[in-house]
Protein backbone atom coordinates (compact mmCIF):
# COMPACT_ATOMS: atom_id res chain seq x y z
CA UNK A 1 0.00 0.00 0.00
CA UNK A 2 1.35 3.51 -0.80
CA UNK A 3 2.82 5.56 1.98
CA UNK A 4 0.17 7.40 4.01
CA UNK A 5 0.67 10.96 5.13
CA UNK A 6 -0.49 12.65 8.30
CA UNK A 7 -2.97 14.60 6.18
CA UNK A 8 -4.67 11.47 4.78
CA UNK A 9 -8.39 11.06 5.07
CA UNK A 10 -10.16 7.75 5.03
CA UNK A 11 -13.60 7.54 3.46
CA UNK A 12 -15.60 4.44 4.32
CA UNK A 13 -19.01 3.16 3.31
CA UNK A 14 -21.25 0.92 5.40
CA UNK A 15 -24.24 -0.82 3.83
CA UNK A 16 -27.09 -1.68 6.19
CA UNK A 17 -28.48 -4.63 4.20
CA UNK A 18 -25.25 -6.23 2.99
CA UNK A 19 -22.25 -5.31 5.14
CA UNK A 20 -18.94 -6.10 3.49
CA UNK A 21 -16.01 -4.72 1.56
CA UNK A 22 -18.00 -3.32 -1.36
CA UNK A 23 -19.97 -0.24 -2.37
CA UNK A 24 -22.07 0.57 -5.48
CA UNK A 25 -19.87 2.21 -8.11
CA UNK A 26 -22.21 5.18 -8.66
CA UNK A 27 -22.20 6.03 -4.94
CA UNK A 28 -18.40 5.79 -4.76
CA UNK A 29 -17.94 7.96 -7.85
CA UNK A 30 -20.46 10.60 -6.75
CA UNK A 31 -18.97 10.87 -3.25
CA UNK A 32 -15.39 11.21 -4.51
CA UNK A 33 -16.31 13.70 -7.23
CA UNK A 34 -18.30 15.76 -4.75
CA UNK A 35 -15.45 15.69 -2.22
CA UNK A 36 -13.20 17.00 -4.99
CA UNK A 37 -15.66 19.84 -5.60
CA UNK A 38 -15.71 20.71 -1.88
CA UNK A 39 -11.89 20.78 -1.66
CA UNK A 40 -11.61 23.01 -4.73
CA UNK A 41 -14.24 25.39 -3.38
CA UNK A 42 -12.22 25.63 -0.16
CA UNK A 43 -9.07 26.16 -2.21
CA UNK A 44 -10.79 28.93 -4.15
CA UNK A 45 -11.81 30.59 -0.90
CA UNK A 46 -8.13 30.65 0.13
CA UNK A 47 -7.41 32.54 -3.05
CA UNK A 48 -10.19 35.01 -2.49
CA UNK A 49 -12.74 33.62 -4.94
CA UNK A 50 -14.98 32.39 -2.16
CA UNK A 51 -15.21 35.76 -0.44
CA UNK A 52 -17.42 37.42 -3.00
CA UNK A 53 -18.71 34.91 -5.52
CA UNK A 54 -20.04 31.42 -5.84
CA UNK A 55 -16.67 29.79 -5.23
CA UNK A 56 -15.47 29.41 -8.83
CA UNK A 57 -12.22 27.54 -9.41
CA UNK A 58 -9.36 27.79 -11.94
CA UNK A 59 -7.19 25.22 -13.71
CA UNK A 60 -4.34 26.07 -11.34
CA UNK A 61 -6.45 25.52 -8.23
CA UNK A 62 -7.89 22.35 -9.77
CA UNK A 63 -4.39 20.89 -10.00
CA UNK A 64 -3.22 22.30 -6.72
CA UNK A 65 -6.09 20.84 -4.70
CA UNK A 66 -6.62 17.59 -6.58
CA UNK A 67 -7.44 14.64 -4.35
CA UNK A 68 -5.72 11.30 -4.85
CA UNK A 69 -7.25 7.92 -3.97
CA UNK A 70 -5.05 5.05 -2.75
CA UNK A 71 -5.72 1.32 -2.62
CA UNK A 72 -8.84 0.39 -0.64
CA UNK A 73 -8.31 -1.14 2.78
CA UNK A 74 -10.48 -3.72 4.61
CA UNK A 75 -13.29 -2.46 6.81
CA UNK A 76 -16.57 -2.09 4.94
CA UNK A 77 -15.25 -0.21 1.91
CA UNK A 78 -12.55 2.22 2.98
CA UNK A 79 -10.61 4.50 0.61
CA UNK A 80 -7.55 6.46 1.81
CA UNK A 81 -7.44 9.93 0.22
CA UNK A 82 -4.82 12.70 0.13
CA UNK A 83 -5.11 16.29 -1.06
CA UNK A 84 -2.62 16.62 -3.95
CA UNK A 85 0.36 14.29 -3.76
CA UNK A 86 4.02 14.11 -2.76
CA UNK A 87 5.05 15.52 -6.16
CA UNK A 88 2.86 18.56 -5.58
CA UNK A 89 3.73 21.52 -3.35
CA UNK A 90 0.13 22.05 -2.19
CA UNK A 91 0.75 20.49 1.21
CA UNK A 92 3.51 23.00 1.87
CA UNK A 93 1.81 26.15 0.60
CA UNK A 94 -1.87 25.84 1.34
CA UNK A 95 -3.03 22.24 1.23
CA UNK A 96 -2.79 21.81 4.99
CA UNK A 97 -4.88 24.93 5.48
CA UNK A 98 -7.50 23.56 3.10
CA UNK A 99 -7.44 20.23 4.94
CA UNK A 100 -8.09 22.07 8.21
CA UNK A 101 -10.89 24.03 6.57
CA UNK A 102 -12.33 20.77 5.23
CA UNK A 103 -12.42 19.38 8.76
CA UNK A 104 -14.05 22.61 10.01
CA UNK A 105 -16.59 22.49 7.17
CA UNK A 106 -17.56 18.87 7.78
CA UNK A 107 -17.78 19.31 11.55
CA UNK A 108 -19.86 22.47 11.19
CA UNK A 109 -22.16 20.55 8.85
CA UNK A 110 -22.34 17.60 11.25
CA UNK A 111 -23.25 19.94 14.14
CA UNK A 112 -25.53 22.10 11.94
CA UNK A 113 -23.68 25.32 12.75
CA UNK A 114 -24.25 27.54 9.74
CA UNK A 115 -22.56 30.45 11.51
CA UNK A 116 -19.30 28.47 11.29
CA UNK A 117 -19.96 27.77 7.60
CA UNK A 118 -20.32 31.52 7.15
CA UNK A 119 -16.77 32.00 8.40
CA UNK A 120 -15.46 29.60 5.75
CA UNK A 121 -17.70 30.96 2.97
CA UNK A 122 -18.76 34.55 3.75
CA UNK A 123 -20.53 34.93 0.39
CA UNK A 124 -24.02 33.36 0.39
CA UNK A 125 -23.58 32.01 -3.16
CA UNK A 126 -20.32 30.26 -2.23
CA UNK A 127 -21.88 28.86 0.94
CA UNK A 128 -24.84 27.50 -1.03
CA UNK A 129 -22.46 25.92 -3.56
CA UNK A 130 -20.48 24.27 -0.77
CA UNK A 131 -23.69 22.96 0.82
CA UNK A 132 -24.78 21.46 -2.49
CA UNK A 133 -21.39 19.78 -2.94
CA UNK A 134 -21.39 18.30 0.58
CA UNK A 135 -24.99 17.15 0.11
CA UNK A 136 -23.99 15.28 -3.06
CA UNK A 137 -21.25 13.51 -1.08
CA UNK A 138 -23.83 11.90 1.20
CA UNK A 139 -25.50 8.72 -0.16
CA UNK A 140 -29.26 9.04 -0.44
CA UNK A 141 -31.45 7.58 2.33
CA UNK A 142 -32.86 4.88 0.03
CA UNK A 143 -29.39 3.61 -0.91
CA UNK A 144 -28.95 1.90 2.46
CA UNK A 145 -25.32 3.12 2.43
CA UNK A 146 -23.84 5.26 5.18
CA UNK A 147 -20.76 7.44 4.76
CA UNK A 148 -18.02 8.12 7.29
CA UNK A 149 -14.87 10.25 6.93
CA UNK A 150 -11.95 9.95 9.33
CA UNK A 151 -8.33 11.00 9.57
CA UNK A 152 -5.83 8.18 9.12
CA UNK A 153 -5.24 8.50 12.87
CA UNK A 154 -8.81 7.27 13.42
CA UNK A 155 -10.29 10.64 14.40
CA UNK A 156 -13.82 10.78 12.99
CA UNK A 157 -14.84 14.08 11.43
CA UNK A 158 -18.02 13.32 9.46
CA UNK A 159 -20.79 10.73 9.84
CA UNK A 160 -23.91 12.30 8.27
CA UNK A 161 -27.43 11.31 9.30
CA UNK A 162 -30.91 12.35 8.05
CA UNK A 163 -30.69 15.56 10.07
CA UNK A 164 -27.47 16.44 8.26
CA UNK A 165 -29.21 16.04 4.91
CA UNK A 166 -32.09 18.31 5.97
CA UNK A 167 -29.64 20.94 7.20
CA UNK A 168 -27.67 20.88 3.93
CA UNK A 169 -30.85 21.08 1.87
CA UNK A 170 -31.94 24.18 3.78
CA UNK A 171 -28.63 25.87 2.90
CA UNK A 172 -28.43 24.60 -0.67
CA UNK A 173 -31.85 25.91 -1.72
CA UNK A 174 -31.64 29.19 0.15
CA UNK A 175 -31.74 32.10 -2.36
CA UNK A 176 -28.23 33.49 -2.47
CA UNK A 177 -28.28 36.36 -0.03
CA UNK A 178 -31.75 37.55 -1.05
CA UNK A 179 -34.36 36.05 1.24
CA UNK A 180 -35.02 34.02 4.36
CA UNK A 181 -38.10 32.11 5.43
CA UNK A 182 -38.32 33.37 8.98
CA UNK A 183 -37.45 36.21 11.34
CA UNK A 184 -38.04 36.53 15.08
CA UNK A 185 -38.35 39.83 16.92
CA UNK A 186 -40.01 41.72 19.74
CA UNK A 187 -43.48 43.01 18.81
CA UNK A 188 -43.43 46.71 19.67
CA UNK A 189 -46.29 48.24 17.66
CA UNK A 190 -49.72 47.22 16.31
CA UNK A 191 -51.60 49.50 13.90
CA UNK A 192 -55.14 48.14 14.09
CA UNK A 193 -56.49 50.47 11.41
CA UNK A 194 -53.92 49.51 8.77
CA UNK A 195 -53.54 45.96 10.11
CA UNK A 196 -49.77 46.29 10.31
CA UNK A 197 -47.22 45.42 12.99
CA UNK A 198 -43.67 46.46 13.73
CA UNK A 199 -41.12 44.20 15.37
CA UNK A 200 -37.52 44.76 16.41
CA UNK A 201 -34.89 42.22 15.38
CA UNK A 202 -32.74 41.79 18.55
CA UNK A 203 -29.27 41.14 17.01
CA UNK A 204 -29.41 44.13 14.63
CA UNK A 205 -31.89 46.29 16.60
CA UNK A 206 -33.53 46.94 13.25
CA UNK A 207 -37.28 47.62 13.06
CA UNK A 208 -39.25 45.58 10.51
CA UNK A 209 -42.87 46.17 9.48
CA UNK A 210 -45.44 43.97 7.78
CA UNK A 211 -49.17 43.47 7.41
CA UNK A 212 -50.95 40.79 9.40
CA UNK A 213 -54.05 38.66 8.68
CA UNK A 214 -57.11 39.54 10.79
CA UNK A 215 -57.17 36.06 12.35
CA UNK A 216 -53.77 36.79 13.96
CA UNK A 217 -54.96 39.91 15.79
CA UNK A 218 -56.06 38.27 19.10
CA UNK A 219 -52.71 36.49 19.35
CA UNK A 220 -50.80 39.70 18.60
CA UNK A 221 -52.70 41.63 21.28
CA UNK A 222 -51.82 38.90 23.76
CA UNK A 223 -48.14 38.99 22.71
CA UNK A 224 -47.45 42.72 23.02
CA UNK A 225 -43.73 43.25 23.79
CA UNK A 226 -43.11 39.50 23.45
CA UNK A 227 -41.17 37.61 20.81
CA UNK A 228 -43.12 36.68 17.68
CA UNK A 229 -42.07 34.86 14.50
CA UNK A 230 -42.96 35.97 10.99
CA UNK A 231 -42.70 33.19 8.39
CA UNK A 232 -42.70 34.21 4.74
CA UNK A 233 -40.23 36.01 2.49
CA UNK A 234 -37.69 38.03 4.47
CA UNK A 235 -35.28 40.19 2.45
CA UNK A 236 -31.67 40.43 3.61
CA UNK A 237 -28.92 43.00 3.22
CA UNK A 238 -25.38 42.19 2.05
CA UNK A 239 -24.49 41.04 5.58
CA UNK A 240 -27.50 38.68 5.58
CA UNK A 241 -29.28 40.76 8.22
CA UNK A 242 -33.08 41.00 7.75
CA UNK A 243 -33.98 44.35 6.22
CA UNK A 244 -37.61 43.87 5.20
CA UNK A 245 -40.61 41.54 5.09
CA UNK A 246 -41.87 41.11 1.55
CA UNK A 247 -44.53 38.43 2.10
CA UNK A 248 -46.21 37.01 5.21
CA UNK A 249 -47.29 33.38 5.28
CA UNK A 250 -47.94 33.13 9.02
CA UNK A 251 -47.27 34.91 12.29
CA UNK A 252 -46.66 32.77 15.35
CA UNK A 253 -46.11 33.20 19.04
CA UNK A 254 -42.55 32.12 19.92
CA UNK A 255 -42.86 29.04 22.11
CA UNK A 256 -39.63 27.77 23.65
CA UNK A 257 -41.28 25.69 26.34
CA UNK A 258 -39.73 22.22 26.76
CA UNK A 259 -40.71 19.44 24.39
CA UNK A 260 -41.78 16.54 26.62
CA UNK A 261 -41.57 13.14 24.98
CA UNK A 262 -43.04 9.85 26.17
CA UNK A 263 -42.12 7.90 23.04
CA UNK A 264 -42.21 7.78 19.26
CA UNK A 265 -43.30 5.46 16.46
CA UNK A 266 -40.79 3.40 14.48
CA UNK A 267 -42.40 1.47 11.64
CA UNK A 268 -45.39 -0.35 13.10
CA UNK A 269 -44.02 -0.36 16.65
CA UNK A 270 -44.32 2.16 19.43
CA UNK A 271 -41.03 2.92 21.20
CA UNK A 272 -41.75 4.13 24.74
CA UNK A 273 -39.46 6.15 26.98
CA UNK A 274 -38.70 4.45 30.31
CA UNK A 275 -38.83 7.92 31.86
CA UNK A 276 -40.30 11.08 30.25
CA UNK A 277 -37.66 12.89 28.22
CA UNK A 278 -37.30 16.66 27.92
CA UNK A 279 -35.83 18.51 24.93
CA UNK A 280 -35.29 22.26 25.28
CA UNK A 281 -35.77 24.39 22.13
CA UNK A 282 -33.87 27.64 21.69
CA UNK A 283 -34.06 30.49 19.20
CA UNK A 284 -30.90 30.23 17.15
CA UNK A 285 -29.07 31.55 14.11
CA UNK A 286 -29.56 35.32 14.43
CA UNK A 287 -33.18 34.93 15.56
CA UNK A 288 -34.29 32.98 12.48
CA UNK A 289 -34.79 29.35 13.55
CA UNK A 290 -35.72 26.99 16.34
CA UNK A 291 -32.96 24.60 17.37
CA UNK A 292 -32.06 21.81 19.74
CA UNK A 293 -28.53 21.95 21.06
CA UNK A 294 -26.72 19.23 23.03
CA UNK A 295 -29.82 17.07 23.66
CA UNK A 296 -29.59 13.32 24.36
CA UNK A 297 -28.13 10.98 21.71
CA UNK A 298 -26.17 13.75 19.95
CA UNK A 299 -29.20 15.02 18.01
CA UNK A 300 -28.74 18.48 16.48
CA UNK A 301 -31.76 20.02 14.75
CA UNK A 302 -32.45 23.36 13.11
CA UNK A 303 -36.02 24.08 11.94
CA UNK A 304 -37.98 27.11 10.77
CA UNK A 305 -40.94 26.62 13.13
CA UNK A 306 -41.48 24.85 16.43
CA UNK A 307 -43.93 22.48 14.74
CA UNK A 308 -41.25 21.48 12.22
CA UNK A 309 -38.76 21.06 15.06
CA UNK A 310 -41.05 18.63 16.90
CA UNK A 311 -41.77 16.67 13.71
CA UNK A 312 -38.06 16.52 12.83
CA UNK A 313 -37.23 15.32 16.35
CA UNK A 314 -39.61 12.36 16.02
CA UNK A 315 -38.21 11.56 12.57
CA UNK A 316 -34.65 11.75 13.88
CA UNK A 317 -35.39 9.45 16.83
CA UNK A 318 -37.01 6.94 14.47
CA UNK A 319 -33.94 7.07 12.22
CA UNK A 320 -31.32 6.54 14.94
CA UNK A 321 -33.46 3.77 16.50
CA UNK A 322 -33.56 1.90 13.17
CA UNK A 323 -29.90 2.47 12.34
CA UNK A 324 -28.37 1.93 15.79
CA UNK A 325 -30.72 0.39 18.37
CA UNK A 326 -31.73 -2.42 16.00
CA UNK A 327 -28.27 -3.01 14.50
CA UNK A 328 -25.94 -5.89 15.37
CA UNK A 329 -22.99 -4.90 17.53
CA UNK A 330 -20.62 -6.43 14.98
CA UNK A 331 -21.76 -3.89 12.38
CA UNK A 332 -21.21 -0.86 14.63
CA UNK A 333 -18.17 1.20 15.52
CA UNK A 334 -17.42 1.59 19.28
CA UNK A 335 -19.12 4.98 19.61
CA UNK A 336 -22.14 3.66 17.69
CA UNK A 337 -22.37 0.70 20.09
CA UNK A 338 -22.31 3.19 22.95
CA UNK A 339 -25.19 5.10 21.32
CA UNK A 340 -27.08 1.83 20.92
CA UNK A 341 -26.71 1.15 24.65
CA UNK A 342 -27.91 4.67 25.50
CA UNK A 343 -31.01 4.14 23.36
CA UNK A 344 -31.84 0.81 25.03
CA UNK A 345 -31.31 2.39 28.45
CA UNK A 346 -33.81 5.13 27.58
CA UNK A 347 -36.50 3.30 25.59
CA UNK A 348 -38.51 0.07 25.40
CA UNK A 349 -40.45 -1.21 22.41
CA UNK A 350 -44.15 -1.70 23.10
Amino acid sequence: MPKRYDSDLQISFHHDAAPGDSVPADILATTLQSLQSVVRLLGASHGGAGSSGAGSTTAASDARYAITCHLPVPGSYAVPVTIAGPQNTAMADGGLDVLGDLRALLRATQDQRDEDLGKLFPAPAARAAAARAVLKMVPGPRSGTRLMIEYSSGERIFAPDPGTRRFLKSLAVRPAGEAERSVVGHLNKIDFQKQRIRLRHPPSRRDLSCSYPPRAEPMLVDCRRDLIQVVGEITLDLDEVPKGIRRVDSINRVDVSPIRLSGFKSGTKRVRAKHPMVFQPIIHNAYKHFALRDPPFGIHLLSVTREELEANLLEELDSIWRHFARADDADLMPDARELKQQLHNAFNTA
Side-chain angles (χ1 to χ4, degrees):
M1 180 177 173
K3 177 182 177 181
R4 298 178 65 182
Y5 301 88
D6 290 341
S7 55
D8 280 351
L9 301 174
Q10 181 165 286
I11 303 172
S12 57
F13 300 87
H14 306 265
H15 200 280
D16 295 335
D21 297 340
S22 63
V23 65
D26 59 338
I27 292 178
L28 174 64
T30 300
T31 296
L32 292 174
Q33 289 170 356
S34 301
L35 176 63
Q36 180 66 85
S37 297
V38 171
V39 170
R40 285 175 175 158
L41 286 168
L42 287 166
S45 72
H46 271 277
S51 61
S52 59
S56 60
T57 63
T58 65
S61 67
D62 283 354
R64 182 178 180 183
Y65 297 111
I67 66 170
T68 301
C69 299
H70 302 284
L71 293 175
V73 298
S76 292
Y77 191 94
V79 182
V81 170
T82 55
I83 298 178
Q87 76 285 356
N88 195 301
T89 59
M91 303 314 295
D93 62 1
L96 282 174
D97 291 336
V98 170
L99 188 71
D101 285 350
L102 177 62
R103 175 171 62 174
L105 170 65
L106 294 177
R107 283 183 169 169
T109 302
Q110 183 83 52
D111 295 339
Q112 300 184 22
R113 299 185 183 278
D114 56 354
E115 64 271 23
D116 292 344
L117 297 181
K119 297 174 184 177
L120 293 167
F121 294 100
R127 188 157 58 255
R132 288 191 293 271
V134 177
L135 181 61
K136 286 186 68 177
M137 283 174 50
V138 182
R142 294 184 180 180
S143 70
T145 301
R146 289 177 286 119
L147 169 71
M148 184 171 66
I149 299 179
E150 302 173 296
Y151 278 126
S152 57
S153 63
E155 178 189 357
R156 180 177 299 184
I157 58 175
F158 193 53
D161 55 27
T164 310
R165 289 182 58 83
R166 286 194 297 270
F167 174 69
L168 286 167
K169 285 181 179 179
S170 72
L171 295 178
V173 301
R174 179 181 300 170
E178 294 181 358
E180 265 287 354
R181 283 189 59 199
S182 166
V183 66
V184 171
H186 291 283
L187 176 62
N188 58 19
K189 183 178 181 180
I190 306 175
D191 187 326
F192 295 101
Q193 185 174 1
K194 296 181 179 179
Q195 291 188 332
R196 294 186 63 82
I197 58 172
R198 185 177 69 196
L199 63 153
R200 174 158 293 188
H201 181 238
S204 65
R205 301 187 63 81
R206 180 177 288 172
D207 288 334
L208 305 171
S209 298
C210 66
S211 59
Y212 66 84
R215 65 180 181 277
E217 193 166 280
M219 180 271 293
L220 292 170
V221 172
D222 194 42
C223 289
R224 284 176 294 182
R225 306 294 180 186
D226 290 340
L227 284 174
I228 63 169
Q229 178 190 42
V230 176
V231 178
E233 186 177 357
I234 316 300
T235 58
L236 309 176
D237 62 19
L238 293 178
D239 295 320
E240 294 196 271
V241 175
K243 67 176 182 179
I245 302 172
R246 185 178 297 168
R247 187 191 74 249
V248 175
D249 294 332
S250 65
I251 301 176
N252 311 307
R253 180 196 304 267
V254 171
D255 180 5
V256 290
S257 61
I259 299 174
R260 303 185 184 280
L261 187 72
S262 60
F264 59 94
K265 191 174 182 180
S266 182
T268 59
K269 293 185 177 180
R270 178 73 179 172
V271 181
R272 299 188 182 279
K274 295 180 180 179
H275 304 283
M277 305 195 70
V278 176
F279 297 82
Q280 181 60 58
I282 61 172
I283 296 296
H284 180 63
N285 188 27
Y287 280 67
K288 297 175 187 176
H289 300 102
F290 287 83
L292 292 177
R293 288 290 183 232
D294 302 320
F297 319 120
I299 295 174
H300 297 278
L301 294 176
L302 196 69
S303 304
V304 172
T305 66
R306 180 186 171 98
E307 289 73 20
E308 288 181 12
L309 187 71
E310 293 180 4
N312 288 338
L313 173 60
L314 294 174
E315 182 180 341
E316 191 77 358
L317 286 168
D318 172 36
S319 176
I320 64 173
W321 184 264
R322 287 186 290 107
H323 284 96
F324 297 99
R326 293 169 53 186
D328 293 333
D329 285 353
D331 296 332
L332 299 175
M333 300 290 286
D335 55 347
R337 288 197 293 270
E338 182 179 347
L339 174 58
K340 175 182 178 179
Q341 187 60 52
Q342 292 174 4
L343 290 166
H344 283 289
N345 290 342
F347 296 101
N348 280 322
T349 52

